[in-house]
Amino acid sequence: MKYNFDEIVDRRHTNAMNTDGFRGYIFHDFEGKKKFPFKDEEFIRMWVADMEFAMCPHIIDAIKERLDKRILGYSQVFEQEFYDAYNKWSKKMYDWTYERKDFCFSLGIIPALYKLTEFILTDHEYAIVNTPAYGYFKHPLTYNGKQAVFNRLVKDKKGVWQIDFEALEKAAAHPMAKLLIWCNPHNPTGRVWTEEELKKVAAIVEKHNLWIISDEIHCDLLRQGKRHIPMAKIMPDYDKLIVCTSASKCFNMAGLMFAEILIRDETLKEWYIAYTNSYAMNVNPLAIAAHQAAYEKGGEWLDQMKTYLDGNFAFVKETLDRELPETHFVIPDATYLAWVDLSAYLADVEDIPEFFANKAGVLLEGGDALFVDNAQGYIRLNLAMPRTLIAEGLKRIVKAIKERT
């Protein structure tokens, strides 16, 4: 089947965060009082990390089939078929499988991070976070009253983000360091860490007896020809490893609220299950059906979508190089998110999202306020959308920058 990624899907009146929640999320305007020179429907929305692509038809069919059962009661993942589908996918994509006993589930990776950081860290212990970072790597620490140490990624001469291993080693050696919150592929830079890099990180973690939470939700959103290596494959016998995955990101079904949380340590797993059994162990039955269908039947859709995304990234790179040559942008190894350095043009702009919302009618995210640290002058553009929308968004971005320079 040939899938149509040029189709523009109307998301209005679906209670979507993408269309209706941007004021509160980006601008902290929860009462909706903020005024813009653009109507809501006139914005090009390149901000929140969900797609403008219609969901894989096989997943929609699976949801409809589950609905035909006519009862949506309290649900957990009881049947072996789900685990078989997950591991068949994992074996095919990364040559790795997980034991059923290690599986826990969550309404998402973010809820799991809130609870896991509470369980793992005492009030005086801290987590290491590589920055720039997805904001919700820091928010659970702040919420739980825990400490964070930022290890800044650095760029090489080609503009590719690298790990500062010397700084990471120093942070890990601190007597109060207990946890590394890891991200592969990395959000927002889009790096897929190499086997050599992963082994260096693993050696530091094991040397200092740290916990490591590896968020791998973007692992299937790779450029064609790239390959993801699970941290579990690098650290096959390390009990303090927790892996977080979900098909929700790459198959555009974040609203179904479902993630696999793989915990090896028996004590931590017992604590986690005791909490979730009393509060959130039950998951959306439609999410179970949807994820299993993604793993069983979503391969061709995903492959075509990745090829379309590669074209989107090439288009953005060509446009920025031509129109804004002082921009620094390297096509990332993974994700559908472009991490773009505009500091040459907007160094004096304190609030970049505010600037583009008002001057260009483009909703986007960027800067330290949303990406923790080491992100000044950067914007993150969601490119998981029809190319015509990207073209219009870039046109507006370019115009807004040129008019102020």
Side-chain angles (χ1 to χ4, degrees):
M1 180 182 292
K2 175 68 175 176
Y3 300 102
N4 181 16
F5 298 101
D6 289 314
E7 178 188 8
I8 296 177
V9 179
D10 186 359
R11 300 182 65 181
R12 293 176 299 173
H13 310 300
T14 64
N15 293 306
M17 175 72 74
N18 184 297
T19 56
D20 299 332
F22 69 89
R23 283 181 174 79
Y25 192 97
I26 303 176
F27 305 108
H28 308 292
D29 174 37
F30 298 101
E31 296 182 1
K33 295 180 179 180
K34 196 173 188 64
K35 301 297 181 184
F36 296 97
F38 298 87
K39 298 178 181 178
D40 285 9
E41 61 270 21
E42 293 175 336
F43 280 110
I44 299 296
R45 305 182 308 274
M46 307 181 80
W47 69 289
V48 68
D50 65 10
M51 301 181 187
E52 294 295 294
F53 301 140
M55 204 159 59
C56 172
H58 294 297
I59 297 174
I60 295 173
D61 290 343
I63 292 172
K64 290 178 178 178
E65 183 178 340
R66 178 62 184 85
L67 283 171
D68 286 341
K69 302 295 185 183
R70 299 185 297 160
I71 295 176
L72 300 176
Y74 293 118
S75 300
Q76 298 180 26
V77 185
F78 296 112
E79 296 187 346
Q80 182 63 32
E81 285 83 355
F82 175 88
Y83 300 95
D84 293 342
Y86 180 95
N87 269 331
K88 185 177 180 180
W89 178 269
S90 184
K91 180 68 176 177
K92 173 186 175 183
M93 302 296 281
Y94 339 114
D95 192 31
W96 186 254
T97 59
Y98 296 88
E99 295 185 56
R100 177 169 176 169
K101 68 178 183 61
D102 294 339
F103 278 82
C104 298
F105 297 93
S106 173
L107 299 181
I109 292 175
I110 293 172
L113 284 175
Y114 273 83
K115 189 49 58 177
L116 289 168
T117 52
E118 179 186 353
F119 284 151
I120 290 171
L121 298 171
T122 67
D123 290 345
H124 301 291
E125 294 170 329
Y126 66 72
I128 303 166
V129 179
N130 291 312
T131 62
Y134 175 49
Y136 277 94
F137 285 179
K138 179 177 181 292
H139 299 333
L141 299 170
T142 302
Y143 178 83
N144 287 318
K146 311 301 182 182
Q147 306 299 313
V149 169
F150 303 142
N151 182 52
R152 290 190 159 196
L153 301 177
V154 295
K155 288 194 296 184
D156 64 17
K157 294 180 180 180
K158 295 181 179 180
V160 178
W161 291 87
Q162 307 286 350
I163 302 163
D164 185 339
F165 285 103
E166 183 177 348
L168 181 61
E169 172 78 43
K170 183 178 179 180
H174 192 284
M176 299 310 291
K178 193 172 183 181
L179 168 67
L180 172 63
I181 300 180
W182 181 246
C183 191
N184 184 32
H186 185 260
N187 180 9
T189 69
R191 270 299 314 274
V192 171
W193 305 114
T194 66
E195 183 174 5
E196 180 183 3
E197 289 169 321
L198 293 172
K199 286 181 176 179
K200 285 183 178 180
V201 171
I204 291 172
V205 168
E206 293 184 10
K207 175 182 177 181
H208 298 286
N209 196 31
L210 301 180
W211 288 90
I212 174 170
I213 299 175
S214 184
D215 176 0
E216 303 183 11
I217 196 170
H218 290 273
C219 64
D220 292 319
L221 288 161
L222 310 180
R223 304 287 78 77
Q224 293 287 15
K226 296 291 183 179
R227 190 168 180 85
H228 168 73
I229 304 174
M231 188 55 89
K233 192 174 182 180
I234 298 295
M235 308 175 77
D237 302 312
Y238 193 67
D239 281 345
K240 288 189 172 182
L241 169 67
I242 302 156
V243 177
C244 303
T245 70
S246 177
S248 64
K249 190 65 65 179
C250 65
F251 286 101
N252 200 28
M253 47 187 181
L256 287 176
M257 303 297 291
F258 183 90
E260 301 94 5
I261 312 298
L262 297 130
I263 303 175
R264 288 173 173 166
D265 181 85
E266 291 297 329
T267 300
L268 180 64
K269 186 164 53 182
E270 287 177 5
W271 288 347
Y272 183 84
I273 291 174
Y275 161 76
T276 52
N277 267 340
S278 63
Y279 179 67
M281 184 62 171
N282 294 298
V283 293
N284 185 338
L286 301 181
I288 301 171
H291 278 66
Q292 184 170 330
Y295 297 134
E296 290 177 340
K297 301 176 181 179
E300 180 58 31
W301 182 92
L302 178 64
D303 186 63
Q304 291 185 32
M305 190 270 290
K306 286 163 57 178
T307 298
Y308 190 89
L309 279 179
D310 287 359
N312 281 355
F313 275 101
F315 174 76
V316 170
K317 174 67 173 171
E318 178 186 350
T319 302
L320 292 177
D321 286 351
R322 181 182 68 250
E323 300 292 341
L324 300 171
E326 294 184 60
T327 297
H328 296 286
F329 171 58
V330 176
I331 294 176
D333 302 323
T335 80
Y336 48 68
L337 306 165
W339 188 238
V340 183
D341 182 359
L342 290 177
S343 56
Y345 297 101
L346 303 178
D348 60 331
V349 176
E350 292 186 9
D351 192 327
I352 291 179
E354 180 93 24
F355 170 80
F356 282 112
N358 280 290
K359 300 299 183 181
V362 175
L363 299 175
L364 51 77
E365 297 176 280
D368 285 352
L370 288 162
F371 295 98
V372 179
D373 175 63
N374 199 20
Q376 284 292 346
Y378 281 84
I379 61 171
R380 192 186 76 169
L381 299 176
N382 182 344
L383 303 188
M385 62 181 65
R387 204 160 298 152
T388 54
L389 296 178
I390 294 174
E392 177 61 25
L394 287 180
K395 178 182 175 181
R396 296 182 185 191
I397 288 170
V398 169
K399 182 174 184 289
I401 289 175
K402 287 183 175 181
E403 285 180 348
R404 73 177 305 274
T405 56

PDB file of all heavy atoms in Angstrom, residues 279-307:
ATOM      1  N   TYR A 279      -2.752   2.584  41.720  1.00  0.00           N
ATOM      2  CA  TYR A 279      -3.093   3.884  41.137  1.00  0.00           C
ATOM      3  C   TYR A 279      -3.270   3.835  39.625  1.00  0.00           C
ATOM      4  O   TYR A 279      -4.301   4.229  39.101  1.00  0.00           O
ATOM      5  CB  TYR A 279      -2.012   4.914  41.497  1.00  0.00           C
ATOM      6  CG  TYR A 279      -2.267   6.287  40.920  1.00  0.00           C
ATOM      7  CD1 TYR A 279      -3.344   7.049  41.364  1.00  0.00           C
ATOM      8  CD2 TYR A 279      -1.448   6.814  39.940  1.00  0.00           C
ATOM      9  CE1 TYR A 279      -3.587   8.308  40.829  1.00  0.00           C
ATOM     10  CE2 TYR A 279      -1.675   8.073  39.397  1.00  0.00           C
ATOM     11  CZ  TYR A 279      -2.739   8.817  39.849  1.00  0.00           C
ATOM     12  OH  TYR A 279      -2.975  10.048  39.327  1.00  0.00           O
ATOM     13  N   ALA A 280      -2.276   3.332  38.882  1.00  0.00           N
ATOM     14  CA  ALA A 280      -2.306   3.523  37.432  1.00  0.00           C
ATOM     15  C   ALA A 280      -1.860   2.305  36.634  1.00  0.00           C
ATOM     16  O   ALA A 280      -1.443   2.433  35.500  1.00  0.00           O
ATOM     17  CB  ALA A 280      -1.431   4.719  37.063  1.00  0.00           C
ATOM     18  N   MET A 281      -1.948   1.114  37.217  1.00  0.00           N
ATOM     19  CA  MET A 281      -1.519  -0.067  36.470  1.00  0.00           C
ATOM     20  C   MET A 281      -2.473  -0.364  35.331  1.00  0.00           C
ATOM     21  O   MET A 281      -2.071  -0.851  34.280  1.00  0.00           O
ATOM     22  CB  MET A 281      -1.426  -1.279  37.409  1.00  0.00           C
ATOM     23  CG  MET A 281      -0.884  -2.535  36.746  1.00  0.00           C
ATOM     24  SD  MET A 281       0.790  -2.313  36.137  1.00  0.00           S
ATOM     25  CE  MET A 281       1.200  -3.983  35.688  1.00  0.00           C
ATOM     26  N   ASN A 282      -3.745  -0.083  35.536  1.00  0.00           N
ATOM     27  CA  ASN A 282      -4.703  -0.319  34.469  1.00  0.00           C
ATOM     28  C   ASN A 282      -4.429   0.639  33.321  1.00  0.00           C
ATOM     29  O   ASN A 282      -4.224   1.830  33.525  1.00  0.00           O
ATOM     30  CB  ASN A 282      -6.129  -0.126  34.992  1.00  0.00           C
ATOM     31  CG  ASN A 282      -6.477  -1.176  36.020  1.00  0.00           C
ATOM     32  OD1 ASN A 282      -6.498  -2.358  35.724  1.00  0.00           O
ATOM     33  ND2 ASN A 282      -6.731  -0.740  37.255  1.00  0.00           N
ATOM     34  N   VAL A 283      -4.416   0.100  32.131  1.00  0.00           N
ATOM     35  CA  VAL A 283      -4.103   0.901  30.951  1.00  0.00           C
ATOM     36  C   VAL A 283      -5.284   0.871  29.990  1.00  0.00           C
ATOM     37  O   VAL A 283      -6.207   0.056  30.113  1.00  0.00           O
ATOM     38  CB  VAL A 283      -2.821   0.398  30.258  1.00  0.00           C
ATOM     39  CG1 VAL A 283      -1.608   0.627  31.144  1.00  0.00           C
ATOM     40  CG2 VAL A 283      -2.935  -1.071  29.870  1.00  0.00           C
ATOM     41  N   ASN A 284      -5.235   1.774  29.033  1.00  0.00           N
ATOM     42  CA  ASN A 284      -6.288   1.896  28.042  1.00  0.00           C
ATOM     43  C   ASN A 284      -6.334   0.627  27.181  1.00  0.00           C
ATOM     44  O   ASN A 284      -5.353   0.307  26.510  1.00  0.00           O
ATOM     45  CB  ASN A 284      -5.997   3.129  27.176  1.00  0.00           C
ATOM     46  CG  ASN A 284      -7.093   3.437  26.189  1.00  0.00           C
ATOM     47  OD1 ASN A 284      -7.889   2.589  25.815  1.00  0.00           O
ATOM     48  ND2 ASN A 284      -7.124   4.679  25.748  1.00  0.00           N
ATOM     49  N   PRO A 285      -7.445  -0.096  27.159  1.00  0.00           N
ATOM     50  CA  PRO A 285      -7.500  -1.324  26.345  1.00  0.00           C
ATOM     51  C   PRO A 285      -7.319  -1.050  24.857  1.00  0.00           C
ATOM     52  O   PRO A 285      -6.799  -1.903  24.133  1.00  0.00           O
ATOM     53  CB  PRO A 285      -8.893  -1.885  26.643  1.00  0.00           C
ATOM     54  CG  PRO A 285      -9.685  -0.734  27.181  1.00  0.00           C
ATOM     55  CD  PRO A 285      -8.701   0.134  27.895  1.00  0.00           C
ATOM     56  N   LEU A 286      -7.730   0.122  24.402  1.00  0.00           N
ATOM     57  CA  LEU A 286      -7.506   0.466  23.002  1.00  0.00           C
ATOM     58  C   LEU A 286      -6.016   0.666  22.723  1.00  0.00           C
ATOM     59  O   LEU A 286      -5.543   0.378  21.618  1.00  0.00           O
ATOM     60  CB  LEU A 286      -8.277   1.729  22.634  1.00  0.00           C
ATOM     61  CG  LEU A 286      -9.795   1.674  22.810  1.00  0.00           C
ATOM     62  CD1 LEU A 286     -10.426   2.999  22.390  1.00  0.00           C
ATOM     63  CD2 LEU A 286     -10.396   0.516  22.019  1.00  0.00           C
ATOM     64  N   ALA A 287      -5.279   1.145  23.720  1.00  0.00           N
ATOM     65  CA  ALA A 287      -3.843   1.343  23.553  1.00  0.00           C
ATOM     66  C   ALA A 287      -3.124   0.014  23.399  1.00  0.00           C
ATOM     67  O   ALA A 287      -2.172  -0.106  22.622  1.00  0.00           O
ATOM     68  CB  ALA A 287      -3.283   2.113  24.744  1.00  0.00           C
ATOM     69  N   ILE A 288      -3.554  -0.984  24.143  1.00  0.00           N
ATOM     70  CA  ILE A 288      -2.937  -2.309  24.018  1.00  0.00           C
ATOM     71  C   ILE A 288      -3.116  -2.835  22.605  1.00  0.00           C
ATOM     72  O   ILE A 288      -2.159  -3.290  21.952  1.00  0.00           O
ATOM     73  CB  ILE A 288      -3.533  -3.297  25.042  1.00  0.00           C
ATOM     74  CG1 ILE A 288      -3.324  -2.790  26.468  1.00  0.00           C
ATOM     75  CG2 ILE A 288      -2.908  -4.681  24.867  1.00  0.00           C
ATOM     76  CD1 ILE A 288      -4.067  -3.592  27.520  1.00  0.00           C
ATOM     77  N   ALA A 289      -4.347  -2.763  22.105  1.00  0.00           N
ATOM     78  CA  ALA A 289      -4.627  -3.246  20.748  1.00  0.00           C
ATOM     79  C   ALA A 289      -3.843  -2.443  19.717  1.00  0.00           C
ATOM     80  O   ALA A 289      -3.307  -3.009  18.746  1.00  0.00           O
ATOM     81  CB  ALA A 289      -6.123  -3.140  20.470  1.00  0.00           C
ATOM     82  N   ALA A 290      -3.769  -1.139  19.906  1.00  0.00           N
ATOM     83  CA  ALA A 290      -3.083  -0.279  18.948  1.00  0.00           C
ATOM     84  C   ALA A 290      -1.588  -0.574  18.909  1.00  0.00           C
ATOM     85  O   ALA A 290      -0.987  -0.666  17.825  1.00  0.00           O
ATOM     86  CB  ALA A 290      -3.322   1.182  19.301  1.00  0.00           C
ATOM     87  N   HIS A 291      -0.965  -0.719  20.065  1.00  0.00           N
ATOM     88  CA  HIS A 291       0.470  -0.972  20.095  1.00  0.00           C
ATOM     89  C   HIS A 291       0.805  -2.344  19.521  1.00  0.00           C
ATOM     90  O   HIS A 291       1.787  -2.492  18.792  1.00  0.00           O
ATOM     91  CB  HIS A 291       1.003  -0.825  21.524  1.00  0.00           C
ATOM     92  CG  HIS A 291       1.275   0.591  21.906  1.00  0.00           C
ATOM     93  ND1 HIS A 291       0.280   1.536  22.023  1.00  0.00           N
ATOM     94  CD2 HIS A 291       2.431   1.250  22.173  1.00  0.00           C
ATOM     95  CE1 HIS A 291       0.815   2.706  22.358  1.00  0.00           C
ATOM     96  NE2 HIS A 291       2.115   2.553  22.452  1.00  0.00           N
ATOM     97  N   GLN A 292      -0.008  -3.332  19.844  1.00  0.00           N
ATOM     98  CA  GLN A 292       0.257  -4.654  19.279  1.00  0.00           C
ATOM     99  C   GLN A 292       0.142  -4.624  17.754  1.00  0.00           C
ATOM    100  O   GLN A 292       0.970  -5.210  17.052  1.00  0.00           O
ATOM    101  CB  GLN A 292      -0.708  -5.687  19.865  1.00  0.00           C
ATOM    102  CG  GLN A 292      -0.412  -7.110  19.383  1.00  0.00           C
ATOM    103  CD  GLN A 292      -1.208  -8.159  20.143  1.00  0.00           C
ATOM    104  OE1 GLN A 292      -1.532  -7.971  21.315  1.00  0.00           O
ATOM    105  NE2 GLN A 292      -1.509  -9.264  19.490  1.00  0.00           N
ATOM    106  N   ALA A 293      -0.851  -3.922  17.242  1.00  0.00           N
ATOM    107  CA  ALA A 293      -1.007  -3.809  15.790  1.00  0.00           C
ATOM    108  C   ALA A 293       0.182  -3.085  15.157  1.00  0.00           C
ATOM    109  O   ALA A 293       0.637  -3.445  14.062  1.00  0.00           O
ATOM    110  CB  ALA A 293      -2.303  -3.081  15.457  1.00  0.00           C
ATOM    111  N   ALA A 294       0.689  -2.048  15.850  1.00  0.00           N
ATOM    112  CA  ALA A 294       1.863  -1.335  15.333  1.00  0.00           C
ATOM    113  C   ALA A 294       3.050  -2.272  15.198  1.00  0.00           C
ATOM    114  O   ALA A 294       3.739  -2.283  14.167  1.00  0.00           O
ATOM    115  CB  ALA A 294       2.208  -0.168  16.254  1.00  0.00           C
ATOM    116  N   TYR A 295       3.284  -3.082  16.231  1.00  0.00           N
ATOM    117  CA  TYR A 295       4.414  -4.000  16.198  1.00  0.00           C
ATOM    118  C   TYR A 295       4.215  -5.122  15.180  1.00  0.00           C
ATOM    119  O   TYR A 295       5.174  -5.591  14.568  1.00  0.00           O
ATOM    120  CB  TYR A 295       4.645  -4.591  17.590  1.00  0.00           C
ATOM    121  CG  TYR A 295       5.021  -3.568  18.645  1.00  0.00           C
ATOM    122  CD1 TYR A 295       4.406  -3.578  19.903  1.00  0.00           C
ATOM    123  CD2 TYR A 295       5.984  -2.596  18.397  1.00  0.00           C
ATOM    124  CE1 TYR A 295       4.749  -2.639  20.878  1.00  0.00           C
ATOM    125  CE2 TYR A 295       6.317  -1.657  19.358  1.00  0.00           C
ATOM    126  CZ  TYR A 295       5.703  -1.688  20.597  1.00  0.00           C
ATOM    127  OH  TYR A 295       6.038  -0.760  21.558  1.00  0.00           O
ATOM    128  N   GLU A 296       2.998  -5.527  14.983  1.00  0.00           N
ATOM    129  CA  GLU A 296       2.727  -6.648  14.068  1.00  0.00           C
ATOM    130  C   GLU A 296       2.596  -6.216  12.612  1.00  0.00           C
ATOM    131  O   GLU A 296       3.023  -6.939  11.700  1.00  0.00           O
ATOM    132  CB  GLU A 296       1.448  -7.381  14.495  1.00  0.00           C
ATOM    133  CG  GLU A 296       1.579  -8.160  15.787  1.00  0.00           C
ATOM    134  CD  GLU A 296       0.273  -8.806  16.218  1.00  0.00           C
ATOM    135  OE1 GLU A 296      -0.806  -8.370  15.759  1.00  0.00           O
ATOM    136  OE2 GLU A 296       0.335  -9.762  17.032  1.00  0.00           O
ATOM    137  N   LYS A 297       2.021  -5.024  12.374  1.00  0.00           N
ATOM    138  CA  LYS A 297       1.632  -4.681  10.999  1.00  0.00           C
ATOM    139  C   LYS A 297       2.098  -3.295  10.552  1.00  0.00           C
ATOM    140  O   LYS A 297       1.782  -2.893   9.423  1.00  0.00           O
ATOM    141  CB  LYS A 297       0.107  -4.755  10.869  1.00  0.00           C
ATOM    142  CG  LYS A 297      -0.472  -6.125  11.186  1.00  0.00           C
ATOM    143  CD  LYS A 297      -1.999  -6.109  11.129  1.00  0.00           C
ATOM    144  CE  LYS A 297      -2.578  -7.470  11.468  1.00  0.00           C
ATOM    145  NZ  LYS A 297      -4.067  -7.456  11.449  1.00  0.00           N
ATOM    146  N   GLY A 298       2.831  -2.575  11.378  1.00  0.00           N
ATOM    147  CA  GLY A 298       3.142  -1.188  11.057  1.00  0.00           C
ATOM    148  C   GLY A 298       4.441  -0.953  10.316  1.00  0.00           C
ATOM    149  O   GLY A 298       4.777   0.196  10.014  1.00  0.00           O
ATOM    150  N   GLY A 299       5.176  -1.988  10.002  1.00  0.00           N
ATOM    151  CA  GLY A 299       6.513  -1.827   9.435  1.00  0.00           C
ATOM    152  C   GLY A 299       6.564  -1.054   8.133  1.00  0.00           C
ATOM    153  O   GLY A 299       7.407  -0.166   7.947  1.00  0.00           O
ATOM    154  N   GLU A 300       5.672  -1.371   7.198  1.00  0.00           N
ATOM    155  CA  GLU A 300       5.706  -0.716   5.888  1.00  0.00           C
ATOM    156  C   GLU A 300       5.306   0.751   6.007  1.00  0.00           C
ATOM    157  O   GLU A 300       5.906   1.629   5.363  1.00  0.00           O
ATOM    158  CB  GLU A 300       4.782  -1.443   4.908  1.00  0.00           C
ATOM    159  CG  GLU A 300       4.744  -0.837   3.510  1.00  0.00           C
ATOM    160  CD  GLU A 300       6.094  -0.760   2.834  1.00  0.00           C
ATOM    161  OE1 GLU A 300       6.954  -1.641   3.095  1.00  0.00           O
ATOM    162  OE2 GLU A 300       6.307   0.170   2.040  1.00  0.00           O
ATOM    163  N   TRP A 301       4.285   1.032   6.810  1.00  0.00           N
ATOM    164  CA  TRP A 301       3.886   2.430   7.037  1.00  0.00           C
ATOM    165  C   TRP A 301       5.057   3.225   7.600  1.00  0.00           C
ATOM    166  O   TRP A 301       5.352   4.332   7.136  1.00  0.00           O
ATOM    167  CB  TRP A 301       2.695   2.486   7.987  1.00  0.00           C
ATOM    168  CG  TRP A 301       2.163   3.864   8.251  1.00  0.00           C
ATOM    169  CD1 TRP A 301       1.168   4.508   7.565  1.00  0.00           C
ATOM    170  CD2 TRP A 301       2.596   4.781   9.274  1.00  0.00           C
ATOM    171  NE1 TRP A 301       0.959   5.765   8.095  1.00  0.00           N
ATOM    172  CE2 TRP A 301       1.827   5.965   9.141  1.00  0.00           C
ATOM    173  CE3 TRP A 301       3.567   4.718  10.276  1.00  0.00           C
ATOM    174  CZ2 TRP A 301       1.990   7.059   9.981  1.00  0.00           C
ATOM    175  CZ3 TRP A 301       3.745   5.831  11.117  1.00  0.00           C
ATOM    176  CH2 TRP A 301       2.956   6.977  10.966  1.00  0.00           C
ATOM    177  N   LEU A 302       5.731   2.663   8.600  1.00  0.00           N
ATOM    178  CA  LEU A 302       6.849   3.349   9.229  1.00  0.00           C
ATOM    179  C   LEU A 302       7.970   3.597   8.226  1.00  0.00           C
ATOM    180  O   LEU A 302       8.558   4.684   8.179  1.00  0.00           O
ATOM    181  CB  LEU A 302       7.369   2.542  10.413  1.00  0.00           C
ATOM    182  CG  LEU A 302       8.578   3.135  11.149  1.00  0.00           C
ATOM    183  CD1 LEU A 302       8.221   4.466  11.789  1.00  0.00           C
ATOM    184  CD2 LEU A 302       9.116   2.162  12.192  1.00  0.00           C
ATOM    185  N   ASP A 303       8.266   2.612   7.399  1.00  0.00           N
ATOM    186  CA  ASP A 303       9.340   2.756   6.422  1.00  0.00           C
ATOM    187  C   ASP A 303       9.040   3.887   5.435  1.00  0.00           C
ATOM    188  O   ASP A 303       9.912   4.711   5.126  1.00  0.00           O
ATOM    189  CB  ASP A 303       9.540   1.444   5.676  1.00  0.00           C
ATOM    190  CG  ASP A 303      10.751   1.489   4.750  1.00  0.00           C
ATOM    191  OD1 ASP A 303      11.876   1.658   5.249  1.00  0.00           O
ATOM    192  OD2 ASP A 303      10.554   1.374   3.516  1.00  0.00           O
ATOM    193  N   GLN A 304       7.811   3.942   4.940  1.00  0.00           N
ATOM    194  CA  GLN A 304       7.445   5.014   4.017  1.00  0.00           C
ATOM    195  C   GLN A 304       7.452   6.377   4.707  1.00  0.00           C
ATOM    196  O   GLN A 304       7.861   7.385   4.111  1.00  0.00           O
ATOM    197  CB  GLN A 304       6.069   4.732   3.413  1.00  0.00           C
ATOM    198  CG  GLN A 304       6.037   3.550   2.458  1.00  0.00           C
ATOM    199  CD  GLN A 304       4.679   3.379   1.798  1.00  0.00           C
ATOM    200  OE1 GLN A 304       3.955   4.342   1.553  1.00  0.00           O
ATOM    201  NE2 GLN A 304       4.317   2.133   1.502  1.00  0.00           N
ATOM    202  N   MET A 305       7.009   6.408   5.946  1.00  0.00           N
ATOM    203  CA  MET A 305       7.009   7.668   6.686  1.00  0.00           C
ATOM    204  C   MET A 305       8.435   8.176   6.901  1.00  0.00           C
ATOM    205  O   MET A 305       8.715   9.379   6.764  1.00  0.00           O
ATOM    206  CB  MET A 305       6.283   7.487   8.029  1.00  0.00           C
ATOM    207  CG  MET A 305       6.016   8.788   8.769  1.00  0.00           C
ATOM    208  SD  MET A 305       7.356   9.240   9.888  1.00  0.00           S
ATOM    209  CE  MET A 305       7.157   7.990  11.146  1.00  0.00           C
ATOM    210  N   LYS A 306       9.362   7.285   7.216  1.00  0.00           N
ATOM    211  CA  LYS A 306      10.757   7.677   7.398  1.00  0.00           C
ATOM    212  C   LYS A 306      11.342   8.265   6.116  1.00  0.00           C
ATOM    213  O   LYS A 306      12.082   9.258   6.149  1.00  0.00           O
ATOM    214  CB  LYS A 306      11.578   6.477   7.865  1.00  0.00           C
ATOM    215  CG  LYS A 306      11.339   6.081   9.313  1.00  0.00           C
ATOM    216  CD  LYS A 306      11.833   4.674   9.625  1.00  0.00           C
ATOM    217  CE  LYS A 306      13.288   4.482   9.328  1.00  0.00           C
ATOM    218  NZ  LYS A 306      13.758   3.121   9.673  1.00  0.00           N
ATOM    219  N   THR A 307      11.015   7.662   4.991  1.00  0.00           N
ATOM    220  CA  THR A 307      11.495   8.187   3.712  1.00  0.00           C
ATOM    221  C   THR A 307      10.934   9.581   3.456  1.00  0.00           C
ATOM    222  O   THR A 307      11.654  10.479   2.989  1.00  0.00           O
ATOM    223  CB  THR A 307      11.110   7.240   2.565  1.00  0.00           C
ATOM    224  OG1 THR A 307      11.750   5.964   2.770  1.00  0.00           O
ATOM    225  CG2 THR A 307      11.525   7.791   1.214  1.00  0.00           C
TER     226      THR A 307
END
